[in-house]
C-alpha cells in the first residue's frame, strides 16, 4: 500500500467519526489507541485550565480549551463505547462531568457523574467509582445545596477508595466529608476528618492537593481560637492561633512552590487577618489581667460624685462662610430642618440665645406641618426622624436655667412620641369580615 492509500483510508475513518483532527496529532494505532489519546489530550487541557486559574485567577483565558476537550472526550466516549470498553467510557464520561462542573453547569455535570459511576461499577473500576461519587457530591453542594446527599456520596467514596494504592481519591473524599461536617456546624468532626486525610497524604501523587486541606484546617483552628478568646481561655486561644498559622504557612509554601500566585495572595491575606485577631486576643488578655488590680469607683456619699451643670457643648467656632455656603447649596430653605441646622451651628459657636430662637422656630414649623396632615396615621410617622429638634431646644433651655420651659417642652415631645407609638402600632382585627372591610377601606383611601 502506498502512502497515498494510507492517507485516504485514514481520512475516511476521521469523516466517519465526525471530527476534524490534525493528521500530526492522531496516533498511528487502532481505534482503542485513538480513544486513549483523545482522553489524554482532553485531560491535559483540563489540567492546563486549572493550573492557569490557580496562577492567575482568570477563568476566561483558557475557557476555549474546555470546549475543545469536550469534542475530544465525546470522540473518546464514542470509540470506547463502540469497542465495549466500559472502563474507558466511564473515565471519559467522568471527565466530561468535570468540565461541566467547571463551567458551573451542575445539573448536566451531575447526570454525567451518575452515568460514569454506573459504567465504572459495571466494569469494576473502583478508582473511577470513587472519582464519580466525589463529582456527584461536589455538584450537589454547588448546585441544589443538598448537603445530606453530598455527604452520603463522599462517605461512599471514602469506603470505596480505602484500599486503592493511590491515596488521592481517599484523601479528597475525606476532605469533602469534612466540608459537609463544617456546613453542619460540627467543627470537631471536620477536624478529625482533615487529620485523617493528612495522615494518608504521603500516598497522594499530587502533593499540591494538600494545600486545600491545610487551608480548611487552619480556618477551623482560627475559629476555635476566637471562641477560646471570647470565653476567657486565652492560652487555648493563642495555641489554636499558632496551629492555624502553621497550616497557613504550609499552604503558602505549596502555593509559592507551584507558582499559584492567585492562591498565594489570598493566603497572605488570611495571614494578616489572623495576626489582627491574635492581637485582639492579646489585648483582651492584658485587659482581663489589669481589671482585678484596678480601683473601682464606688461612691459612698453625695460629695464623692462630681456633678456638672453644663448641658450642651459650646465655644467651638464655626468655619467662616459656612452659613453662606449652606445657603448657596440649597440646604437652608427656611423649613424646620433648616432652622434646626442653624440652631445646632449657633449653639456650637457660643450663641445660645440665637440658637434657641432658631430651635423654637423649627419646632413651630414642625408642628404646623404636622397639623396640616389629614390622617392621624400620617401624623404618627411624621416625627420619626425629627424628634431630635425638641431635644436640642430642651438642652438649650436647661443651659439657661429655664427649667419650667424645658420641662413643658419635654412633656410635649413625649406626647408626640407617644402618638407615634399609637398610630404606628400594627392593627389586629379578630374577625375575617373586619379584616376584609379594613382592607377595602385602605384600597379606597389609596385610590382617593
Amino acid at each position: 500500500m502506498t502512502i497515498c492509500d494510507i492517507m485516504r483510508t485514514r481520512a475516511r475513518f476521521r469523516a466517519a467519526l465526525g471530527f476534524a483532527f490534525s493528521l500530526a496529532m492522531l496516533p498511528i494505532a487502532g481505534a482503542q489507541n485513538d480513544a486513549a489519546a483523545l482522553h489524554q489530550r482532553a485531560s491535559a487541557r483540563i489540567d492546563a485550565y486549572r493550573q492557569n486559574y490557580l496562577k492567575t485567577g482568570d477563568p476566561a483565558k483558557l475557557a476555549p480549551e474546555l470546549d475543545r476537550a469536550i469534542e475530544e472526550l465525546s470522540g473518546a466516549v464514542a470509540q470506547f463505547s463502540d469497542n465495549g470498553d466500559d472502563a474507558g467510557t466511564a473515565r471519559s464520561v467522568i471527565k466530561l462531568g468535570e468540565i461541566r462542573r467547571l463551567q458551573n453547569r451542575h445539573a448536566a455535570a451531575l447526570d454525567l457523574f451518575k452515568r460514569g459511576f454506573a459504567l465504572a461499577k459495571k466494569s469494576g473500576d473502583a478508582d473511577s467509582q470513587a472519582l464519580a461519587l466525589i463529582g456527584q457530591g461536589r455538584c450537589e453542594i454547588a448546585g441544589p445545596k443538598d448537603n445530606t446527599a453530598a455527604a452520603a456520596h463522599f462517605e461512599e467514596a471514602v469506603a470505596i477508595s480505602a484500599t486503592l494504592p493511590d491515596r488521592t481519591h481517599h484523601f479528597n473524599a475525606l476532605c469533602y466529608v469534612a466540608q459537609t461536617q463544617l456546613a453542619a456546624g460540627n467543627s470537631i468532626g471536620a477536624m478529625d476528618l482533615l487529620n485523617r486525610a493528612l495522615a494518608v497524604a504521603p500516598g497522594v501523587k499530587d502533593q499540591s492537593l494538600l494545600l486545600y486541606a491545610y487551608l480548611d484546617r487552619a480556618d477551623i483552628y482560627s475559629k476555635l481560637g476566637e471562641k477560646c478568646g471570647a470565653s476567657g481561655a486565652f492560652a487555648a486561644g493563642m495555641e489554636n492561633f499558632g496551629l492555624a498559622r502553621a497550616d497557613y504557612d504550609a499552604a503558602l509554601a505549596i502555593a509559592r512552590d507551584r507558582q499559584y500566585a492567585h492562591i498565594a495572595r489570598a493566603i497572605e491575606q488570611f495571614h494578616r487577618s489572623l495576626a489582627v485577631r491574635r492581637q485582639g486576643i492579646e489585648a483582651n488578655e492584658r485587659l482581663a489581667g489589669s481589671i482585678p488590680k484596678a480601683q473601682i469607683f464606688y461612691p459612698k456619699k453625695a460629695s464623692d460624685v462630681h456633678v456638672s451643670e453644663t448641658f450642651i457643648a459650646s465655644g467651638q467656632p464655626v468655619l467662616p462662610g459656612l452659613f453662606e455656603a449652606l445657603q448657596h447649596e440649597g440646604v437652608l430653605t427656611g423649613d424646620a430642618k433648616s432652622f434646626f441646622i442653624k440652631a445646632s451651628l449657633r449653639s456650637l459657636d457660643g450663641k445660645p440665645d440665637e440658637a434657641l430662637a432658631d430651635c423654637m422656630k423649627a419646632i413651630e414649623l414642625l408642628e404646623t406641618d404636622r397639623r396640616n396632615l389629614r390622617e392621624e396615621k400620617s401624623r404618627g410617622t411624621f416625627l420619626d426622624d425629627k424628634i431630635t429638634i425638641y431635644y436640642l431646644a430642651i438642652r438649650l433651655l436647661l443651659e439657661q436655667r429655664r427649667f419650667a420651659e424645658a420641662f413643658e417642652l419635654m412633656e410635649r415631645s413625649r406626647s408626640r412620641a407617644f402618638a407615634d407609638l399609637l398610630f404606628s402600632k400594627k392593627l389586629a382585627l379578630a374577625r375575617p369580615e373586619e379584616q376584609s372591610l379594613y382592607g377595602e377601606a385602605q384600597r379606597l383611601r389609596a385610590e382617593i
Side-chain angles (χ1 to χ4, degrees), residues 66-301:
L66 296 181
D67 295 328
R68 296 190 186 97
I70 289 173
E71 293 181 0
E72 291 164 343
L73 287 169
S74 298
V77 167
Q79 292 185 36
F80 280 132
S81 181
D82 289 344
N83 294 326
D85 185 349
D86 291 331
T89 306
R91 287 193 296 272
S92 292
V93 168
I94 292 168
K95 283 291 182 183
L96 282 169
E98 279 296 303
I99 294 174
R100 293 308 186 194
R101 188 186 63 77
L102 290 170
Q103 294 174 332
N104 294 320
R105 296 179 58 181
H106 299 112
L110 188 58
D111 290 340
L112 287 165
F113 284 129
K114 289 179 179 178
R115 180 185 167 195
F117 176 74
L119 289 165
K121 192 172 183 179
K122 181 181 177 182
S123 65
D125 185 352
D127 187 272
S128 293
Q129 289 179 56
L131 188 58
L133 287 167
I134 291 171
Q136 287 184 61
R138 295 184 73 181
C139 289
E140 284 157 345
I141 288 176
K145 314 294 183 186
D146 191 343
N147 196 60
T148 303
H153 284 126
F154 293 144
E155 288 167 2
E156 188 177 355
V158 169
I160 290 174
S161 62
T163 58
L164 293 175
D166 181 2
R167 311 300 283 160
T168 300
H169 297 326
H170 193 63
F171 172 85
N172 282 334
L174 286 169
C175 290
Y176 287 124
V177 177
Q179 289 186 13
T180 63
Q181 291 295 309
L182 278 176
N186 184 7
S187 298
I188 303 304
M191 177 72 77
D192 178 63
L193 287 160
L194 289 169
N195 288 337
R196 286 172 56 190
L198 289 167
V200 303
V204 176
K205 287 183 179 179
D206 183 2
Q207 289 290 296
S208 70
L209 295 175
L210 275 61
L211 182 151
Y212 305 104
Y214 283 128
L215 287 178
D216 287 342
R217 194 170 69 173
D219 185 55
I220 297 174
Y221 279 135
S222 176
K223 289 177 180 176
L224 288 175
E226 287 183 342
K227 287 183 179 179
C228 291
S231 63
F234 301 113
M238 296 303 288
E239 181 181 357
N240 279 298
F241 280 142
L243 293 169
R245 181 182 178 84
D247 278 349
Y248 280 138
D249 285 339
L252 186 58
I254 294 172
R256 287 174 175 170
D257 179 65
R258 297 300 180 104
Q259 298 181 345
Y260 295 161
H262 176 60
I263 299 297
R265 286 193 294 271
I267 298 173
E268 289 165 358
Q269 179 59 43
F270 296 154
H271 251 306
R272 289 190 288 270
S273 176
L274 183 68
V276 170
R277 282 177 283 176
R278 185 185 182 108
Q279 290 171 4
I281 295 295
E282 290 172 343
N284 289 339
E285 185 177 15
R286 288 194 298 271
L287 179 62
S290 65
I291 287 176
K293 303 174 184 177
Q295 294 184 352
I296 306 300
F297 175 65
Y298 184 71
K300 296 180 179 179
K301 55 185 183 296

Side-chain angles (χ1 to χ4, degrees), residues 354-422:
E354 295 178 28
L356 182 59
D358 285 334
C359 219
M360 297 306 294
K361 182 62 177 178
I363 291 173
E364 179 186 346
L365 292 172
L366 189 66
E367 296 194 345
T368 300
D369 290 341
R370 187 175 182 276
R371 285 193 295 270
N372 288 335
L373 296 174
R374 295 189 177 187
E375 292 185 357
E376 285 300 326
K377 185 175 181 181
S378 300
R379 294 181 189 177
T381 58
F382 179 71
L383 291 175
D384 280 349
D385 59 347
K386 305 175 182 68
I387 198 72
T388 53
I389 296 176
Y390 287 90
Y391 300 159
L392 176 59
I394 291 168
R395 292 198 299 270
L396 288 166
L397 288 168
L398 289 172
E399 187 72 19
Q400 297 182 21
R401 306 296 187 270
R402 296 162 64 177
F403 300 118
E405 295 173 73
F407 181 77
E408 185 275 331
L409 192 57
M410 182 180 292
E411 288 300 303
R412 201 193 315 174
S413 70
R414 289 174 62 185
S415 69
R416 298 293 183 262
F418 187 63
D420 272 0
L421 179 64
L422 288 177

